[in-house]
Every structure is written in C-alpha cells, then in structure tokens.
Amino acid sequence: MELPDFPWDRLEPYKKTASAHPGGLVDLSVGTPVDPTPEVARKALAEASDAPGYPQTWGTPALRESVAGWLNRRLGVRADPAAVLPAIGTKELVAWLPLLLGVKPGDTVVFPELAYPTYDVGARIAGATGVATDGLLKLGPTRPKLLWINSPSNPTGKVLPPDHLRKVVSWARERGVTLVSDECYIELYWEGDEPVSILHPDICGGSHEGLLAIHSLSKRSNLAGYRAGFVTGDPALVKGLLELRKHAGMIMPAPVQAAMAATYDDDAHAAEQIERYRARRAALKAALEAHGFRVDHSEASLYLWSTRDEPCWDTVSHLASLGILVAPGEFYGPAGSRHVRVAITATDERVAEAVSRLG
C-alpha cells in the first residue's frame, strides 16, 4: 500500500513567513473549530464520566434515538435508530469504510474531482484504484465498487441539486454500486437552495437500499476534539459495518456517546454557531473580493473557494506575506491548481485582522 505524502507538511515554510508578520499569524488553512464546545455537551460528558465498563459499539439506545430524531427534525430523513452507527470521528470512518465494505484490490472507488484527500486514502488502504471524476459517463463500462459524493463540498462549498442527486442514486442502483454521501456540512449553508440528504425520501424514493450517509458534530457543534460522528442508511450495510467494528474494537467512548446524544437533542447552540460563521464568512468574502479575488461556489460549508487566476502556490505565498495562511487548492486534486481554500473558522478577532490586512 502506497500512501501519498501528508500534504500539510508542504505549508510549513509559508506558515513561518505568515507567523513572522508583526500582527501575528491568521491561520485560515484548516477548518478547525475555535469557539467553545457547547455547555450541553460538556455537562453530559461530565455526568457520564464514571464509566468503568466497556461501551457499546452500536451506541446506546439514547444515542441512536437522538440521532434519528435530529435526522427527521432537521433533514426530513426517516431513519431507523437500529440503522445508526456511531463512529470515532468521521475521518476514521471515511478512511476505513472501503475496506469495511469489502472493497478489494482490483476494485474501483470513485470520488469527486475536487475532494477531501481521505477518500483517496481509503481506496489505497483497501488496495483499490481511486478515480476522481464528476462525470459518471466518463467511467464508461467501469462498475465501481464504491461511489462517494460530498454535498456541501469540501473544499468548494458547492451544493448538489436534488435532480442531480436523484440521477446519481438511480445510476448507482442500476449497477449495484454502494453510494456513500459525506454530508458533514449539511446544516452550514449560506446562499441558494438548502442542501438535501441522499436519504431524503424525495431523493431515494423512500428506500435506503444501497445508500449510506455520514455526519459529524465536529463542525456543527465544535466537537472536533470529541471525535463524534455516525453513519446511517441501508440497514444491511450498517449491520455489516457493526459486526466488523465489534471485532476491531472501533468503539466510541461511553462519555462521548452521552455527549453526542445530548448535543443532537439541542438545536439552539447549532443555530448560534451558524450565525457566528455567517458573519465571519460575509466579512472575509467581501474583503477577498475587494482584494481582487473571485470566490467560486462556496454556497455552503466552512470555506471560501477563492482564486486570483494564478497558480495556487503563488496565491499562498502572496497571502503569507500578509500574515494569512490558506490551503492550496491542489491539495484537493489537480483541478484545484488555481484556487485556494480559505477557512472561516478563525476567531472574530483573527477574522477582523485578516480583513484589515486584505484592505
């Protein structure tokens, strides 16, 4: 198994340049939450901290009911709590999912042209061939074992419309392809139509057969440090994942399960966080555009997909000279070679500093 070099190491020289700025570093390169973890999560974690026994791989009934309630309340998805499986953060799940789903050497895993690098890493772990494409017709007679979609997208913030999602579901089902939708940014949208889950009855026809959806509390609820996510969808696929994860000891700690349940029961903190991000996004987008950038897509998620119509590393260098660190678009695929990804997850003070420097 040959894995790619860890791309973020290449940013270190630019980080040193940006850190030398008199006003300090403004790090907009990664989407790491910086705001406080909600009190509802911290309280539930503390109350469940006396946990001498082994937790359940499947998750407590309270956790699965909480997740199913959120899916129905917020996304219009009717999920059986028995088909909800917690994961130790969704990056772990994305990386191991092809292997856990039985993808083998010689199989093909398809993911978007501009994509979270871990989709490709997961294919490599399973020994499969990863194919980056946004056009299923380009696959010709190839029948992939696994197909990833990501809406809203990381890095572009693009939202796939319902008609497109329905076509992808039909395409996958006609060919017996497992379709996995990464929906970790689904509540974080700013412009245009609201994102829709692949499991919404208008998209999947009321059946979750052959479909999985992945969700996370890292961005929505500032729980990145808790490693709290889940997968749901086709009950047969989820059951198979559960059995393998039992054998492998992939178990979310009991206090985190309690915190996760409490957090999915509470919408108020998420609404407050969304408004924080909305204000930061508006300020950064206006400043970038005034500085000569064009922001493409970015209707949702926590990033501004930005370009000055030059090689992305030139843009990274320019912004580093202003003390601002961003991610080069080529980290997410060759199609990103003239864009940078600007995260909106810095504090209000750091965002204001970036706006000032761009001005």
Side-chain angles (χ1 to χ4, degrees):
M1 175 181 62
E2 184 178 347
L3 294 177
D5 294 335
F6 191 63
W8 295 96
D9 294 341
R10 295 174 61 193
L11 265 185
E12 279 304 312
Y14 301 93
K15 186 174 184 179
K16 288 181 180 178
T17 297
S19 298
H21 191 278
L25 171 69
V26 178
D27 192 347
L28 306 179
S29 65
V30 291
T32 299
V34 297
D35 300 301
T37 298
E39 180 60 29
V40 65
R42 296 161 66 184
K43 183 173 183 290
L45 185 82
E47 290 177 350
S49 61
D50 184 13
Y54 288 107
Q56 297 171 271
T57 308
W58 195 15
T60 63
L63 168 57
R64 288 181 277 111
E65 291 282 354
S66 175
V67 168
W70 173 78
L71 286 165
N72 187 44
R73 186 174 70 250
R74 297 292 298 151
L75 306 184
V77 169
R78 294 188 289 272
D80 183 347
V84 171
L85 179 60
I88 313 158
T90 48
K91 182 169 185 175
E92 167 262 312
L93 184 63
V94 169
W96 289 103
L97 193 61
L99 189 67
L100 294 175
L101 287 173
V103 173
K104 302 182 294 296
D107 289 335
T108 300
V109 174
V110 176
F111 43 82
E113 284 184 14
L114 287 165
Y116 185 44
T118 311
Y119 303 141
D120 179 49
V121 169
R124 294 176 186 237
I125 288 173
T129 300
V131 175
T133 182
D134 292 333
L136 296 177
L137 292 177
K138 294 178 182 177
L139 295 173
T142 299
R143 181 176 296 184
K145 184 77 171 181
L146 177 64
L147 170 63
W148 284 100
I149 58 173
N150 175 211
S151 177
S153 162
N154 173 15
T156 70
K158 183 178 181 180
V159 175
L160 297 177
D163 282 349
H164 179 85
L165 293 174
R166 280 189 282 267
K167 289 176 182 177
V168 175
V169 169
S170 296
W171 186 93
R173 283 178 168 166
E174 287 169 3
R175 292 159 178 79
V177 176
T178 300
L179 175 59
V180 187
S181 180
D182 181 347
E183 302 176 352
C184 290
Y185 297 90
I186 199 163
E187 286 189 285
L188 301 165
Y189 66 95
W190 321 110
E191 300 173 3
D193 294 332
E194 184 173 351
V196 183
S197 172
I198 203 80
L199 301 180
H200 192 284
D202 289 349
I203 305 301
C204 67
S207 168
H208 295 171
E209 183 181 359
L211 309 176
L212 292 172
I214 291 174
H215 292 272
S216 167
L217 284 173
S218 293
K219 317 297 192 196
R220 172 193 184 267
S221 301
N222 303 327
L223 257 70
Y226 283 46
R227 312 313 299 132
F230 71 89
V231 60
T232 189
D234 186 328
L237 291 175
V238 174
K239 183 178 179 182
L241 292 172
L242 171 62
E243 293 307 313
L244 285 167
R245 292 175 71 85
K246 282 181 179 178
H247 283 293
M250 294 176 169
I251 311 172
M252 178 184 287
V256 178
Q257 293 190 29
M260 187 174 174
T263 306
Y264 270 123
D265 280 340
D266 180 71
D267 294 331
H269 78 273
E272 292 175 5
Q273 187 61 44
I274 286 169
E275 292 311 308
R276 291 188 191 106
Y277 286 139
R278 190 187 306 279
R280 292 168 187 166
R281 176 187 181 273
L284 282 170
K285 184 173 185 287
L288 286 166
E289 290 172 340
H291 195 77
F293 281 86
R294 184 181 74 248
V295 176
D296 292 332
H297 305 302
S298 307
E299 300 92 352
S301 82
L302 294 179
Y303 313 105
L304 295 167
W305 188 237
S306 308
T307 182
R308 299 203 307 171
D309 290 314
E310 65 184 3
C312 62
W313 287 102
D314 291 353
T315 308
V316 170
S317 178
H318 168 70
L319 290 173
S321 73
L322 301 177
I324 300 169
L325 189 67
V326 298
E330 73 171 33
F331 278 7
Y332 308 94
S337 65
R338 298 181 74 83
H339 283 76
V340 294
R341 194 194 73 169
V342 183
I344 63 172
T345 53
T347 63
D348 291 344
E349 183 274 330
R350 288 286 88 186
V351 167
E353 181 67 20
V355 168
S356 174
R357 295 179 193 180
L358 290 166

